[in-house]
Amino acid sequence: VYRRRTEFMQPLYALHEKCASAFLDYNPDAFNGMCIRASNGYTMPVIEGYLKAAESFLNAEEAFLECTNADRSKIKGEDVIDYYSAKAGALIDNLDMLPNWCMYKATGKKLSALGLNFISDALESGKLKGENVLAGFEKNVYKNFLEINIPADADLSRMTVGTLEETIEKFRLAWDEFSRLSKEKIRSLLISRLPSRDGADSLSVEVNAFTRLSKSNLRGSGLRALFEEVPELVKRVSPCMLMSPITVAQYLKPEADLFDLVIFDEASQMTTAEAVGSIARAKSAIVVGDPKQLPPTTFFHSAYVDEENLENEDLESILDDCLALGLPERHLLWHYRSKHESLIAFSNGMYYDNKLCTFPSPDALENKCRFIPVEGTYDRGFTKRNKKEAEALVKEVLRRLSDPVLSRLSMGVVTFSGAQRDDIERMLTKEIAAHKLDAAAYDRDEPLFVKNLENVQGDERDVILFSICYGPDKTGRVSLNFGPLNQSGGWRRLNVAVSRAREEMLVFST
């Protein structure tokens, strides 16, 4: 018995050594019991069966550890069977998550093959939370791109913030100098074209007539008579004239080819009837405008339409008539005003089919269009104002005017109703005077303004503050009447209103 026990003990102790990493709490006395059973009739095939079973267990253990990423150090000191049972139980309890886990592991392998394992490593280590995976991925891609491409480019590798700002400052100074020299050159050219009073030509006669009229302060005459008496002199002295359509009709005689070129700005707000007088006095015309912005106001116009001759009826503006006639077009697609893409994103998407070319900002992920909720009520049917909203807006304007940094930015206030505009303007005037902020508000290149939708076209400021005004009344009811926005072409008014800001836009609303 002792000899047989000794023969069988050698492979059993070898098995014990082999399984030690898994059966760490295995009781060596079990070997004694196994050997006793072997001496009582167990044969070698039985022992070999134990060995094969143990080997199968070890293979299964290795496979389990590989597929579960289990760490041997974590199961040290506890029963491996209990550990595996708990793991298997957890897998069974979360069986519905198994497809997602398999998909994650497959994606992790693909990322690792592409050299992007930094994503899964950061996620599994806990450095990266699940909801920030995309942002973390983008940040790492940007970081890797910068680290690889900037050193590889000779110009970029030498560029610093200081050199860039220095280049910008040099360009600004050169531009200012160019503008100054251009003005001086134009003035010099105009002076050189002035005729002599002592000459014998027609221009000298006109100079004498002009001198006489100016000394008499146009007594017994007017501007129209002046223009008629010195037509050639006017062309020499003032080859470019800035006039409104009414001024053209009032002061210039109805004569063809008075000008080589007439240019209409903001043509979407000019009716054809107003523009035709200027067009008739010029050899050619350039009509500049945006058909997506405000048409001419029709408040003072007759609503009469000749139903029998609709083809002869004017369209809303001279711009619309030119487009309808199929005149040659040039589209300006570079958006210059907004210094952040978020300020023009709405108009670009809703009205311009995303055709506007915008310049990306260094802080492109931020949004410069902010919503400021106000707990107020719209006084529907009475004052038609929103007092709480006006107070919140005025408070923000005063805060910015009092701040030495924020006050550098010009501001404009836009309202969706005339009543709200009047209320805000009255409150601002009072508060600005009380806080002695008149200089910061008005004594500047771009003074603070308060306007409604109807008359803000053509204006722009660094910061635009909106007051929506409309909202729930005292009973909580929200009327679907939003003033000018409900009228025909209200979308144009909205387009004008939301594209006035250069730096920031604040929207106050209940």
Side-chain angles (χ1 to χ4, degrees):
V1 170
Y2 179 77
R3 181 181 59 79
R4 290 181 63 191
R5 180 178 178 182
T6 304
E7 288 178 0
F8 295 138
M9 282 293 287
Q10 295 301 323
L12 287 173
Y13 276 119
L15 173 65
H16 177 68
E17 291 293 332
K18 192 174 182 182
C19 296
S21 60
F23 294 92
L24 293 172
D25 60 343
Y26 187 80
N27 186 357
D29 292 337
F31 284 114
N32 295 330
M34 188 178 293
C35 292
I36 293 172
R37 289 195 298 273
S39 65
N40 291 334
Y42 277 77
T43 60
M44 194 64 186
V46 175
I47 301 301
E48 290 176 350
Y50 276 114
L51 291 172
K52 289 180 179 180
E55 186 176 1
S56 298
F57 176 80
L58 285 174
N59 292 335
E61 179 194 19
E62 292 296 331
F64 186 87
L65 290 172
E66 182 180 356
C67 72
T68 60
N69 287 337
D71 188 356
R72 288 181 182 276
S73 62
K74 292 181 180 179
I75 59 175
K76 191 173 183 179
E78 65 178 281
D79 184 71
V80 72
I81 300 298
D82 291 343
Y83 176 81
Y84 286 165
S85 299
K87 278 280 188 180
L91 288 172
I92 293 171
D93 293 340
N94 298 281
L95 196 61
D96 57 326
M97 300 175 64
L98 188 59
N100 291 336
W101 174 253
C102 294
M103 187 183 299
Y104 166 76
K105 297 300 290 184
T107 305
K109 286 185 177 180
K110 291 180 181 178
L111 291 173
S112 181
L114 294 171
L116 301 174
N117 54 308
F118 61 82
I119 304 171
S120 53
D121 291 346
L123 193 65
E124 292 173 8
S125 66
K127 295 180 180 178
L128 189 65
K129 301 301 180 182
E131 62 271 13
N132 296 323
V133 173
L134 185 59
F137 171 74
E138 290 178 346
K139 186 174 182 179
N140 273 283
V141 170
Y142 298 153
K143 179 171 177 268
N144 292 336
F145 177 83
L146 294 175
E147 290 177 348
I148 294 171
N149 287 276
I150 287 182
D153 189 286
D155 294 327
L156 289 177
S157 61
R158 292 195 301 268
M159 191 190 77
T160 63
V161 175
T163 58
L164 180 62
E165 291 181 347
E166 183 181 355
T167 303
I168 293 173
E169 182 64 17
K170 286 181 179 179
F171 176 81
R172 188 188 65 79
L173 293 174
W175 179 259
D176 290 343
E177 181 67 10
F178 174 77
S179 300
R180 185 185 66 80
L181 293 174
S182 297
K183 293 175 184 177
E184 290 183 0
K185 182 178 180 180
I186 292 172
R187 184 172 182 273
S188 177
L189 286 173
L190 291 175
I191 292 175
S192 66
R193 295 170 58 181
L194 290 176
S196 172
R197 294 178 59 184
D198 301 329
D201 56 359
S202 60
L203 281 176
S204 300
V205 175
E206 290 188 9
V207 170
N208 291 325
F210 179 78
T211 304
R212 174 176 49 81
L213 290 171
S214 62
K215 288 183 177 180
S216 65
N217 200 21
L218 295 180
R219 186 180 304 164
S221 179
L223 283 177
R224 186 182 182 94
L226 173 65
F227 288 143
E228 289 181 355
E229 193 160 348
V230 291
E232 294 302 321
L233 182 62
V234 170
K235 293 179 182 179
R236 285 288 189 95
V237 177
S238 183
C240 181
M241 303 182 71
L242 180 66
M243 308 175 78
S244 67
I246 296 177
T247 307
V248 170
Q250 187 174 358
Y251 296 124
L252 299 181
K253 60 183 178 181
E255 181 181 319
D257 301 341
L258 277 178
F259 297 96
D260 296 312
L261 176 68
V262 59
I263 302 175
F264 294 96
D265 190 23
E266 296 288 1
S268 66
Q269 287 199 305
M270 187 178 298
T271 64
T272 304
E274 290 178 315
V276 71
S278 302
I279 293 176
R281 289 172 170 85
K283 296 177 182 178
S284 56
I286 294 177
V287 181
V288 183
D290 184 356
K292 307 289 186 179
Q293 294 195 2
L294 285 179
T297 178
T298 57
F299 185 79
F300 298 104
H301 294 175
S302 171
Y304 172 75
V305 175
D306 188 355
E307 300 287 348
E308 296 181 358
N309 300 285
L310 286 175
E311 69 279 2
N312 295 328
E313 287 290 322
D314 293 339
L315 296 180
E316 281 188 316
S317 67
I318 181 63
L319 181 63
D320 292 325
D321 268 321
C322 290
L323 292 172
L325 290 172
L327 297 183
E329 299 178 36
R330 290 289 299 275
H331 294 273
L332 306 180
L333 298 179
W334 292 98
H335 180 72
Y336 70 93
R337 177 180 295 133
S338 302
K339 295 183 180 179
H340 198 280
E341 287 182 298
S342 61
L343 296 173
I344 195 61
F346 175 78
S347 290
N348 197 12
M350 292 297 295
Y351 306 127
Y352 299 107
D353 300 323
N354 287 313
K355 291 180 179 179
L356 291 180
C357 296
T358 57
F359 298 94
S361 308
D363 53 349
L365 297 180
E366 295 183 16
N367 195 335
K368 296 298 182 180
C369 180
R370 293 195 293 119
F371 172 62
I372 301 178
V374 180
E375 293 185 3
T377 56
Y378 173 53
D379 193 11
R380 183 171 61 90
F382 296 96
T383 63
K384 297 183 179 180
R385 298 168 184 166
N386 192 319
K387 185 178 179 181
K388 294 289 186 182
E389 201 173 289
E391 291 174 348
L393 188 147
V394 169
K395 183 179 179 181
E396 177 65 16
V397 171
L398 293 175
R399 183 184 75 85
R400 289 174 172 269
L401 290 175
S402 304
D403 190 288
V405 177
L406 295 177
S407 61
R408 298 173 188 171
L409 300 176
S410 60
M411 286 186 289
V413 177
V414 180
T415 67
F416 282 5
S417 74
Q420 186 76 350
R421 176 203 59 198
D422 296 339
D423 198 28
I424 291 177
E425 192 168 23
R426 183 170 55 255
M427 292 174 62
L428 267 177
T429 302
K430 179 181 177 181
E431 293 297 328
I432 287 174
H435 291 81
K436 298 181 180 179
L437 295 171
D438 299 76
Y442 305 117
D443 295 343
R444 54 194 305 165
D445 293 337
E446 293 184 332
L448 173 70
F449 70 72
V450 182
K451 297 185 178 182
N452 63 347
L453 289 179
E454 301 295 323
N455 52 17
V456 76
Q457 182 164 321
D459 290 302
E460 60 181 70
R461 290 293 186 270
D462 294 327
V463 181
I464 292 293
L465 301 95
F466 280 105
S467 176
I468 303 298
C469 181
Y470 304 104
D473 57 18
K474 294 180 180 179
T475 63
R477 178 174 177 267
V478 179
S479 172
L480 297 183
N481 178 21
F482 302 106
L485 292 182
N486 286 85
Q487 299 176 13
S488 176
W491 60 273
R492 289 179 169 180
R493 292 173 171 85
L494 184 62
N495 181 33
V496 169
V498 300
S499 56
R500 301 297 99 195
R502 289 192 291 254
E503 301 271 357
E504 191 177 2
M505 184 162 58
L506 309 178
V507 181
F508 293 79
S509 177
T510 58

